[in-house]
Amino acid sequence: MQVQVGNSTLKTTTGLDGSFSLTLPGGVSTFTLTVIPPAGQGIAAQTFAEVPLSAYRSPYGTASEMNIYLPAPASKILPGYPARTGTITGNVTFNNQPVASTTPRNLTQLFNPPQPCENGLVVYGGGRTVTTSPSGSYQIPISSTNNLYAASGSLWAGNYTGTDTGNCQTATEYYWAQFQLIPEVRVYLNGTSTSQNVALEAFDPQSNPRVTTLAVSHDYGALTGFNFNPTSPSWNAFSLSTASFAHAIHSGDIELGQYYFRGQTTKNLRVLALPPTDVSQQITVQSHAVRLSAAESILDYSSVQQWRDGSNLSQALTVSFLDTPKLTVNDGATLGPNPTLSWTQVSGGQVYVVSVYDQTGNLVWVGYTPKTEIALPIPLSSGTTYSWDVSTDDQTGMLEYIGMDPSALQARLYLDPAHYPRLKGYKGSTVNQARGRMAQAFLERLGYVPQGAYQNLLQRGYRQSVSETRTFLVQ
């Protein structure tokens, strides 16, 4: 542990239980803390800059506790209870006819989310997805090593084949053509099967009172360097919104549709019609503004997450994107072993998160600072090329980052080009690919990617943005 206070540097090491203690000199208001893990462990270092000392001083003159989580690869699963298993089986029909998938999946795709233009899909708990057989039947394996004798989750089924053009290749709107939601299915994990047949209905607000629309508008006023006009020679960006259904506590989100704003600022998104008194379930709207390079690569992007429940579902949403940090160190620059990295200020951004990766995509250092530059306090290897980027959001303060799992934070920043039809073919950076591996690890272990504490943000939403990725060579 290394603390910088003014021109003074204080150092200590953790005990066998991971604890540490440092006494700071009097008369200081902030400090910068760097945590340096043992070499060869595959764990990244972290720096928290300009931490307010007042937050760690009690009325009795003693220090308060500080819990820090280091970015690390997934740990090996320890021996525990033997896995308990069960299955859900049944048939899917529409108008009394079996629904046979023409986009079959195998068990290695169990945790892949529903993809636009797939049909015959059955999703359990928001995290496990299978497709129907030629006869319309399905089977979902459920397993737990937590000594559970039963699992509970919602079940969603249908055809994610609805489009605005009738052609998946040219569409700018994707939604479920047919669907069915069964709020709860209990699966007994004693090696037996639970039967659940599903009858689909139209996902159409004109014919089905269980479906309605939510108007969503995009405001690009804060974004710099983005040109959303598809008829302009300098066009380089587009935006999209996805609507998802969050079913109470025991199940993850179900994506309801993807809507691409190409030359448009407002679209009506098809969503479930939540009852006016329903505040335990939400419609989540995730919006992205993506800037692309001439080489068909994803540069930077801004994301907004907003919610509606049954009490305000009829109110339109306006998506006001946060600008992205613009890096002021040239791509491919040659820097010293302790380089200073800098970027432009983002109006509304609270803390900037600076991530440095090695050539294989492993995170080697992450820094948190309210300023627009930061110097790496640990020396990097001479003759090595590193990648880096900067992200920020308008909600998270420095003290919240100290208690946050940095691996989950990296996973939340992942943008999956393969999941969005209009982004297929565009390349993501090595940093984004590394974040994808983290996101996949969370999906396989937990069934979801942790999204942070959003309970108090339902009305105002959550905005974040990520800069482009650049490289530098250490001389």
Side-chain angles (χ1 to χ4, degrees), residues 341-363:
L341 303 175
S342 58
W343 53 92
T344 60
Q345 184 175 2
V346 172
S347 178
Q350 285 202 47
V351 174
Y352 300 97
V353 182
V354 187
S355 303
V356 175
Y357 286 78
D358 65 18
Q359 291 172 294
T360 60
N362 295 315
L363 184 66

Side-chain angles (χ1 to χ4, degrees), residues 426-457:
Y426 287 99
K427 296 174 291 186
S429 66
T430 55
V431 169
N432 191 59
Q433 293 167 13
R435 288 172 175 153
R437 293 192 292 271
M438 294 184 189
Q440 185 64 26
F442 278 108
L443 282 173
E444 292 176 356
R445 299 270 176 116
L446 302 178
Y448 60 92
V449 176
Q451 291 296 312
Y454 294 149
Q455 291 89 335
N456 297 323
L457 305 178

Side-chain angles (χ1 to χ4, degrees), residues 250-330:
H250 60 275
S251 290
D253 289 6
I254 297 294
E255 185 175 280
L256 300 179
Q258 296 182 9
Y259 297 78
Y260 294 80
F261 290 62
R262 295 177 65 88
Q264 300 163 292
T265 57
T266 300
K267 279 183 175 281
N268 292 318
L269 281 57
R270 298 188 184 201
V271 298
L272 283 179
L274 303 179
T277 57
D278 190 348
V279 294
S280 64
Q281 301 177 357
Q282 284 91 37
I283 299 298
T284 303
V285 178
Q286 179 110 29
S287 303
H288 301 290
V290 184
R291 190 162 64 113
L292 306 167
S293 74
E296 297 188 341
S297 296
I298 297 172
L299 290 177
D300 48 351
Y301 55 92
S302 181
S303 301
V304 181
Q305 193 157 342
Q306 297 166 287
W307 295 264
R308 284 288 185 259
D309 57 34
S311 68
N312 59 9
L313 187 59
S314 61
Q315 299 175 17
L317 277 177
T318 298
V319 180
S320 298
F321 290 103
L322 197 68
D323 199 10
T324 59
K326 302 301 189 293
L327 307 184
T328 55
V329 178
N330 291 334

